[in-house]
Amino acid sequence: MTVAVIRLMRALLLSFFVVAGALAYWQVIQAPQLVVRADNPRLVQAERQIQRGRLLDRSGMVLAYSAPEHGPGNVPVFHRHYPETATAHLVGYYSLRYGTGGCEAVFDSILRGKRNRLEELLHRPQRGEDVMLSADLTAMRIADTELGDHIGTFIALDIASGALLAMVSHPSYEPNRLDETWEDLIADPSAPLLNRATQGIYPVGDLARWIGLAGLLSAGITTPSRPSEVSLAVLLAPLSRMGYVATAHQLGFTQTPPIALPASSGRLPSFDGRTTERDLAVTPLHMARFAAAVAGDGQMPVPVLQHSTELAGMERVFSENVAHTLRALTPAYDGIASWIGVALPVETGRASLTWLVGYAPATHPQVAFALVLEDEENRSAAMSIARRTMAALLP
Amino acid sequence: MGWSVLVSGLPLIFTFVAFVQLSLVEDAQLTPARFMAPALLAVCALAATWLLQRQLPYYDRVLLPLITLLIGWGLAEVARLAPPVFLLRQTLWMVLGSGALLGAALLPQGLRWLERFRYTWLLLGLFLLGMTFFLGVNPSGAGARLWLGAAGFYFQPSELLKLLMIVFLASYLSQRQAALVEVNVQLHRWRIPHPAYVSPLLFMWGFSIVLLLWQRDLGAAVLFFGVFLAMFYAATGQGIYVLASCILLIGAGAVGYHIFDVVALRVDAWLNPWEEASGRSFQIVQALLAFASGGVFGQGLGQGLPGAIPVVHTDFVFAAVGEEYGLIGTLGLVVAFMLLVSRAFRIALSCQRMFERLLAVGIGALFGLQSLVIMAGTLKMIPLTGVTLPFISYGGSSLLVSMTMVGLLLRLSSHAIALQHSRGEKM
């Protein structure tokens, strides 16, 4: 009997050793693979405990902030708030379910902050830093109000620094209710989540004239003294299609603009008989940079999202003389020099759209802008939106 | 004396530190009201130590500090994982349990009564269990109705039945041991114990198992089965029955898989939890994630997210320990239970009388099997069966009965050593 009791005890104790082995397996060997599983609620919890930095506009107005909510224990969890709806596409969103977008994604690592090993071990709260954007909230509010129910977009760049001053895209979305409305937003045919300023590709239409002029002048070909009075075909005749395409390359239209936000490259026309120079399609950001180059003596600025005093990266796209001539040809009205035109998207066969691209003040240019109104030919609305918004951007 | 004070004090210090930590994490300050539970534990532990030292001079000096550690840890986990009223209830059960422990250890005729009225005890236990068919409730509102409730207190008869079954088996087997081993009948090629001796045993045991299965108390049924086998093996020394029974158990499991949904669910969740990680296997997957997130050092008490596991404060408390105390904590618990089991078996080996020896074996085997079943269950080593982790999980009946069993062990330890001493003096 003693033997049986001792055997029984040994069997039980041995089983405990097996349990200890299983503990080591799950807590040490398998742990790294397990903790990163998407269904680990600790990931979300850890994310919610991060006090994300704020996003501010160029004058310190708050565009996004994290406010504490009562969490389990006295460890606060944070909720992201967006006081301004006008900045939805620029600021983007931060969602535990759908990730990040806009500047929330671009500056994610700064906003989240970092903890070192010791701070992690001590469960110190993770706190990110604020990011000051180059954008001007006042101008964006006005652009947002002025765009109103129009489908379209407005973008403005500082010519000298490349600072992105305003960027509004309509239709927009409510970033504070993103999780609840996501499914609808995704399904909406008007694509409210699309940032039309950098991702919307629109045919240049009448503005092909200005691209062609830039090409003609750069190539040293004599242009009519009053180019607005000749037809586009006649104007562009000396510049072969090859020359037009080369100009589009030169102006960066065939590349994705150097910006950290999601952006599209332009699209060259196929010249297959149905498409012409008018069907070169670019984003409003491409056009705003073109206008900035014209206003800035041929120097095309690299767009900057973050407010800084550093000089922008510049890229020479044509000579000072070309810029000078183009400026002389650009009509000015109310201190705003601009090119206006309509385009008819071939592929979609939709209604025409209105472009307004320019810079202001006309005499000493500081801000370049581009505006598109989709599905409508409405020059006066475009002019009025640009005029009111530019008034807020200029001193 | 100095050494024993230190050993009694360490578990209390551990418990106090845990409550200080909880208070700091959850309230950001020390809240005096939080310390009622550890203070009562200290009073009970010190009072029990003092009384035992006076009344039972040779009692086992390891058991009491050991279960103080486990109970203190358990109270801290209940405070961490369950609403405040649960901690209050568990603390009151702990006070009751201390009384039961001292009663079991000190009542002069205790062991004799247990041995003599074995059928009475067992039938009492079965009667209480049978009552749950008519009056049973579930304190959480839904699920198996395994409790008898009165005045806000709920008692689970199957917990008491565990102890009464051990007493019955120890008493029966000690009386019939010789007959069970020596009187055999020939059945084909095998010699098996005579039905006249083995059938009352099988009948009582089988009746209990059927009752438990009827109540869907799978965990308790598994433990009854295991403890019965362990005690039968200890009494007769015949391993063939253990082997045969294990094969039977697997067979029964296969049948249960097809008959009982709950069995099928547990087995499926065990075989491949990852396929239905958000569905039927949610609990076990979350438990494994808790273990994994604890790593070696743990997140620290109050700083993990064990609440993600459903019913973490009872069946899955081990996973909560794994998350917040890490591998160090879980291995510490494993060692503590190994120590508990080995002390019980040491006491068994030092006992001279068969009844006492089998009683200690039964208690040791129950503690061992119960902790192994739930630890291995939460670690996905075996299909999960819902039993408490002794002393740690929330559950008053379990705590009360476990403490009573430790009281019996304490008595047996003193008894055996006192006998040895008196003999040594005579020689």
Side-chain angles (χ1 to χ4, degrees):
Chain A
M1 181 180 179
T2 308
V3 177
V5 172
I6 290 175
R7 276 193 190 148
L8 196 57
M9 176 171 78
R10 283 195 183 145
L12 285 170
L13 295 184
L14 190 69
S15 308
F16 277 110
F17 277 108
V18 179
V19 167
L23 281 168
Y25 177 74
W26 290 115
Q27 299 203 263
V28 181
I29 299 170
Q30 282 292 313
Q33 291 99 290
L34 272 185
V35 292
V36 295
R37 275 175 65 94
D39 55 353
N40 185 357
R42 287 155 197 85
L43 299 179
V44 172
Q45 188 61 19
E47 190 70 34
R48 296 182 67 190
Q49 288 174 357
I50 297 173
Q51 183 173 7
R52 232 174 135 74
R54 295 176 302 171
L55 280 166
L56 308 168
D57 95 325
R58 64 189 298 120
S59 55
M61 308 259 263
V62 179
L63 305 179
Y65 66 97
S66 288
E69 280 179 350
H70 193 67
N74 74 336
V75 187
V77 296
F78 291 91
H79 188 77
R80 198 72 167 157
H81 296 275
Y82 301 96
E84 301 294 332
T85 47
T87 56
H89 287 98
L90 173 67
V91 166
Y93 51 84
Y94 167 79
S95 158
L96 291 175
R97 215 176 295 166
Y98 301 110
T100 51
C103 285
E104 290 274 33
V106 173
F107 300 107
D108 193 47
S109 60
I110 302 172
L111 293 168
R112 294 170 63 88
K114 234 187 200 167
R115 289 191 301 184
N116 60 33
R117 275 286 171 109
L118 184 69
E119 287 170 321
E120 267 177 43
L121 196 68
L122 295 176
H123 291 265
R124 290 271 160 76
Q126 183 171 336
R127 196 173 254 225
E129 285 172 39
D130 293 349
V131 172
M132 188 177 261
L133 300 181
S134 57
D136 185 301
L137 177 60
T138 320
M140 288 186 70
R141 278 184 187 152
I142 292 172
D144 182 53
T145 317
E146 291 296 324
L147 268 175
D149 291 335
H150 296 285
I151 297 178
T153 176
F154 176 86
I155 183 169
L157 295 173
D158 186 90
I159 292 163
S161 69
L164 183 76
L165 296 173
M167 185 172 78
V168 175
S169 173
H170 277 202
S172 187
Y173 62 95
E174 166 57 81
N176 291 306
R177 296 186 57 239
L178 187 82
D179 285 354
E180 300 93 297
T181 52
W182 182 268
E183 296 299 328
D184 295 337
L185 293 173
I186 290 295
D188 192 334
S190 67
L193 285 176
L194 183 78
N195 181 10
R196 289 170 155 75
T198 59
Q199 291 172 293
I201 308 175
Y202 302 100
V204 294
D206 295 342
L207 298 195
R209 182 179 298 273
W210 297 96
I211 299 162
L213 274 173
L216 289 166
L217 291 167
S218 295
I221 301 167
T222 25
T223 53
S225 54
R226 291 185 160 199
S228 54
E229 286 168 11
V230 299
S231 75
L232 186 63
V234 171
L235 180 76
L236 293 182
L239 189 72
S240 64
R241 278 177 183 166
M242 289 287 283
Y244 186 78
V245 167
T247 310
H249 279 300
Q250 182 64 31
L251 295 175
F253 289 168
T254 52
Q255 287 162 358
T256 308
I259 191 168
L261 292 170
S264 309
S265 69
R267 211 165 45 219
L268 288 170
S270 55
F271 297 113
D272 59 357
R274 286 171 61 235
T275 53
T276 66
E277 286 85 350
R278 298 171 62 90
D279 295 302
L280 167 69
V282 298
T283 68
L285 175 59
H286 283 115
M287 272 300 180
R289 291 184 77 212
F290 178 29
V294 169
D297 294 337
Q299 301 268 30
M300 185 178 271
V302 173
V304 175
L305 292 171
Q306 201 171 358
H307 187 63
S308 91
T309 51
E310 283 174 40
L311 287 174
M314 288 289 181
E315 195 185 340
R316 176 160 291 286
V317 289
F318 39 71
S319 71
E320 210 168 314
N321 284 336
V322 173
H324 201 78
T325 314
L326 284 172
R327 277 212 301 278
L329 292 169
T330 304
Y333 183 72
D334 264 5
I336 300 178
S338 64
W339 316 318
I340 197 155
V342 294
L344 190 69
V346 188
E347 299 99 333
T348 58
R350 288 190 308 190
S352 52
L353 57 89
T354 309
W355 275 101
L356 183 66
V357 178
Y359 52 87
T363 43
H364 308 284
Q366 289 177 16
V367 179
F369 69 91
L371 185 153
V372 167
L373 294 182
E374 257 177 54
D375 298 341
E376 59 184 319
E377 204 180 318
N378 195 339
R379 291 164 203 254
S380 60
M383 287 298 283
S384 130
I385 294 167
R387 201 165 50 239
R388 300 219 174 122
T389 311
M390 293 305 280
L393 281 170
L394 294 169
Chain B
M1 185 64 203
W3 183 82
S4 78
V5 167
L6 184 72
V7 169
S8 316
L10 279 177
L12 295 174
I13 293 171
F14 177 85
T15 310
F16 267 98
V17 168
F19 274 86
V20 165
Q21 192 176 354
L22 267 182
S23 189
L24 288 179
V25 170
E26 292 182 359
D27 307 340
Q29 59 174 356
L30 289 177
T31 317
R34 281 184 171 271
F35 292 91
M36 189 206 67
L40 273 176
L41 177 72
V43 169
C44 289
L46 295 175
T49 310
W50 183 74
L51 264 173
L52 286 173
Q53 277 182 350
R54 283 175 63 104
Q55 304 288 324
L56 280 187
Y58 304 111
Y59 78 96
D60 186 298
R61 293 298 200 268
V62 177
L63 277 175
L64 207 54
L66 184 62
I67 67 156
T68 308
L69 173 73
L70 292 175
I71 294 171
W73 201 334
L75 288 174
E77 288 298 333
V78 171
R80 161 71 179 106
L81 301 170
V85 64
F86 283 50
L87 178 64
L88 183 69
R89 280 194 212 145
Q90 188 78 348
T91 311
L92 292 178
W93 279 109
M94 185 269 295
V95 175
L96 279 181
S98 305
L101 181 145
L102 289 172
L106 300 176
L107 277 183
Q109 293 295 319
L111 285 179
R112 198 166 304 236
W113 288 342
L114 283 180
E115 189 176 1
R116 192 187 275 171
F117 302 116
R118 58 173 183 250
Y119 281 102
T120 316
W121 296 121
L122 188 62
L123 289 173
L124 175 74
L126 289 175
F127 172 72
L128 285 175
L129 184 65
M131 295 251 291
T132 60
F133 282 96
F134 309 106
L135 303 171
V137 289
N138 189 313
S140 58
R145 299 192 300 181
L146 307 176
W147 285 264
L148 291 176
F153 264 74
Y154 295 94
F155 187 74
Q156 200 176 353
S158 62
E159 293 287 344
L160 181 64
L161 193 58
K162 279 179 200 160
L163 173 59
L164 298 179
M165 177 61 82
I166 290 171
V167 170
F168 171 81
L169 289 174
S171 172
Y172 187 92
L173 288 169
S174 62
Q175 281 194 358
R176 299 276 188 256
Q177 188 225 12
L180 280 169
V181 177
E182 281 152 24
V183 185
N184 294 309
V185 289
Q186 197 79 22
L187 184 80
H188 192 50
R189 274 177 34 216
W190 299 289
R191 290 155 60 79
I192 59 166
H194 196 282
Y197 298 114
V198 84
S199 55
L201 193 66
L202 286 176
F203 177 76
M204 294 309 288
W205 171 76
F207 186 57
S208 314
I209 294 257
V210 167
L211 270 184
L212 288 169
L213 285 179
W214 201 305
Q215 279 285 54
R216 300 282 167 96
D217 195 346
L218 208 61
V222 168
L223 288 182
F224 271 55
F225 190 84
V227 170
F228 172 78
L229 276 187
M231 292 179 74
F232 193 81
Y233 174 67
T236 63
Q238 286 170 319
I240 186 76
Y241 297 118
V242 180
L243 196 69
S245 303
C246 286
I247 294 167
L248 266 179
L249 179 68
I250 293 168
V255 172
Y257 182 83
H258 293 288
I259 296 177
F260 298 112
D261 290 346
V262 64
V263 177
L265 179 89
R266 297 283 170 81
V267 173
D268 287 344
W270 169 59
L271 286 176
N272 196 351
W274 311 113
E275 302 228 317
E276 290 192 72
S278 58
R280 302 201 297 175
S281 315
F282 183 72
Q283 217 175 9
I284 185 72
V285 167
Q286 289 300 320
L288 293 176
L289 290 178
F291 277 115
S293 73
V296 175
F297 298 103
Q299 296 289 324
L301 188 62
Q303 301 186 81
L305 197 67
I309 315 166
V311 297
V312 64
H313 58 287
T314 56
D315 293 0
F316 281 93
V317 73
F318 193 51
V321 171
E323 173 164 8
E324 301 200 329
Y325 284 93
L327 186 63
I328 294 175
T330 49
L331 287 184
L333 267 187
V334 168
V335 169
F337 280 108
M338 287 173 82
L339 205 55
L340 181 64
V341 170
S342 59
R343 287 322 282 193
F345 276 85
R346 262 181 75 115
I347 292 166
L349 289 171
S350 70
C351 286
Q352 302 300 313
R353 293 188 53 230
M354 186 65 69
F355 169 70
E356 297 178 359
R357 177 175 283 199
L358 283 173
L359 189 59
V361 166
I363 293 172
L366 178 67
F367 280 144
L369 286 174
Q370 188 167 342
S371 49
L372 281 170
V373 160
I374 190 64
M375 284 176 170
T378 48
L379 286 166
K380 203 183 89 68
M381 297 165 74
I382 57 170
L384 189 72
T385 42
V387 298
T388 56
L389 185 59
F391 304 105
I392 308 280
S393 293
Y394 173 75
S397 330
S398 167
L399 183 63
L400 180 73
V401 172
S402 297
M403 290 178 81
T404 311
M405 291 195 287
V406 170
L408 289 174
L409 283 180
L410 286 169
R411 178 190 190 87
L412 295 174
S413 69
S414 180
H415 207 78
I417 293 166
L419 268 178
Q420 283 170 5
H421 272 260
S422 59
R423 261 186 226 150
E425 277 160 23
K426 274 177 201 161
M427 283 201 314

